[in-house]
Amino acid sequence: MESKRLYRSRRERLVCGVCGGVAEYFNIDPTIVRLAFLLFVFCAGSGVLAYIIAAIVMPDDPN
């Protein structure tokens, strides 16, 4: 059984591919993840820092 891994997307990339990678992992539309990220940025205020950390920590998709 192959385990799912979280990668930054190479196809659904606008900035670093973090939102696209999360969308591919959960098999949902990347636009939904991007909108949720924007809400998180404006409501919580720490979304930009979380995105930067995710962009550093998450590897690129090897495929």
Side-chain angles (χ1 to χ4, degrees):
M1 182 175 175
E2 185 178 327
S3 63
K4 279 178 89 170
R5 300 261 336 236
L6 183 60
Y7 294 109
R8 288 187 291 150
S9 177
R10 291 184 186 257
R11 292 175 298 158
E12 294 293 335
R13 179 176 286 207
L14 289 181
V15 178
C16 291
V18 173
C19 291
V22 171
E24 288 176 0
Y25 183 81
F26 289 111
N27 199 23
I28 58 176
D29 186 21
T31 306
I32 295 171
V33 176
R34 290 179 184 119
L35 288 173
F37 170 73
L38 285 175
L39 285 173
F40 184 66
V41 166
F42 289 119
C43 294
S46 61
V48 175
L49 180 63
Y51 189 90
I52 292 170
I53 291 171
I56 294 170
V57 173
M58 288 172 58
D60 274 334
D61 189 4
N63 295 330

